Amino acid sequence: MPLYETVLIARQDMTPASVDELSATLTKIITDGEGKVEKTENWGLKTLAYRIQKNKKGYYVLMQIDAPAPAVLEMERQIRINEDVLRYMTIRVEEFVEASTEEKEVA
């Protein structure tokens, strides 16, 4: 199956628990579509480069997905409907890249 990476930005007034709930909902959509989420990283609350819908900050979430295209399209449709998501981007990748130990030490 094709590999995808999705990054989404959720509103700043959400709680961390509700952000986790949102990512769990998206994971369920992928698994119902016969795919699987390899990894979900919650990058936390970060300052945005510019305001988006009057928000100065947003919760960033990265999802690495191994799923057929219809499952990813359904997930994107649900993201567009959700008012808590400010922006999202899904790209198809050849393989998932893990951060090296040097990058982990810097972060």
Side-chain angles (χ1 to χ4, degrees):
M1 282 188 275
L3 304 175
Y4 299 92
E5 287 188 348
T6 298
V7 176
L8 62 92
I9 306 172
R11 290 187 336 195
Q12 65 186 1
D13 57 350
M14 292 179 68
T15 62
S18 60
V19 174
D20 292 339
E21 184 180 313
L22 173 64
S23 61
T25 303
L26 298 176
T27 301
K28 183 173 180 345
I29 292 169
I30 293 297
T31 55
D32 289 347
E34 300 175 2
K36 62 181 177 177
V37 176
E38 297 289 332
K39 185 172 162 185
T40 302
E41 290 182 16
N42 190 343
W43 293 345
L45 188 64
K46 304 240 183 233
T47 303
L48 301 173
Y50 54 91
R51 284 185 169 195
I52 302 173
Q53 298 174 6
K54 299 184 182 177
N55 290 284
K56 293 181 182 179
K57 294 184 178 191
Y59 284 99
Y60 283 71
V61 178
L62 168 73
M63 299 175 72
Q64 293 179 335
I65 301 166
D66 181 8
V72 175
L73 290 174
E74 176 60 22
M75 180 193 69
E76 288 181 337
R77 187 182 76 79
Q78 292 295 327
I79 289 174
R80 282 192 300 272
I81 291 172
N82 194 330
E83 294 178 356
D84 292 330
V85 178
L86 300 175
R87 294 279 192 275
Y88 75 95
M89 182 171 59
T90 302
I91 59 170
R92 185 171 176 186
V93 294
E94 294 299 319
E95 63 183 68
F96 297 130
V97 178
E98 293 295 323
S100 66
T101 55
E102 293 174 6
E103 290 176 349
K104 289 180 182 177
E105 291 174 3
V106 172

